[in-house]
Amino acid sequence: MASKGRSAKFYASNPEAYKKKLAYDKKKNATPEAKDYRAELARERRARGLMGKGGPDVSHVAGGGFKLENPKKNRARNGHGNNGRLAPGKGTKKAKR
């Protein structure tokens, strides 16, 4: 099993900060934009036959579309510092709108 990352260690030793983070995440994930974002990715996973089977993440690509990507790489690239939020390269779409 992998060791905990820096954030996980921080929240494990600061329960009040963890409660604050959970409250913020709950509020953010309840917004219509967040729901649409998750629904779009779920639709693409379903179209590719990956839904409910684990495996790679379906991530948004800078030029539009999606690509399959290692979950660790996808979730680490979150827009902080010089990192863009979207994956580099060309994506494809399998789901019909």
Side-chain angles (χ1 to χ4, degrees):
M1 191 163 162
S3 62
K4 288 184 179 182
R6 188 171 58 189
S7 293
K9 287 177 187 174
F10 172 80
Y11 287 124
S13 62
N14 294 281
E16 288 301 316
Y18 184 58
K19 284 182 187 177
K20 186 175 179 179
K21 176 196 181 311
L22 290 180
Y24 170 79
D25 289 347
K26 183 177 180 181
K27 186 175 180 180
K28 183 178 180 188
N29 288 331
T31 64
E33 294 83 11
K35 289 179 182 179
D36 290 345
Y37 181 84
R38 291 193 309 271
E40 184 179 29
L41 291 173
R43 192 169 30 250
E44 189 65 23
R45 283 187 69 78
R46 232 176 258 112
R48 292 179 185 229
L50 298 172
M51 192 64 141
K53 296 184 172 130
D57 277 357
V58 174
S59 64
H60 288 94
V61 178
F66 306 93
K67 80 178 203 179
L68 297 179
E69 191 171 22
N70 177 311
K72 187 171 182 173
K73 282 180 66 177
N74 182 34
R75 296 170 195 183
R77 187 188 54 256
N78 56 12
H80 291 272
N82 293 328
N83 300 327
R85 189 184 64 76
L86 302 173
K90 292 187 175 183
T92 59
K93 289 189 179 185
K94 299 231 179 203
K96 303 232 187 310
R97 293 212 159 216

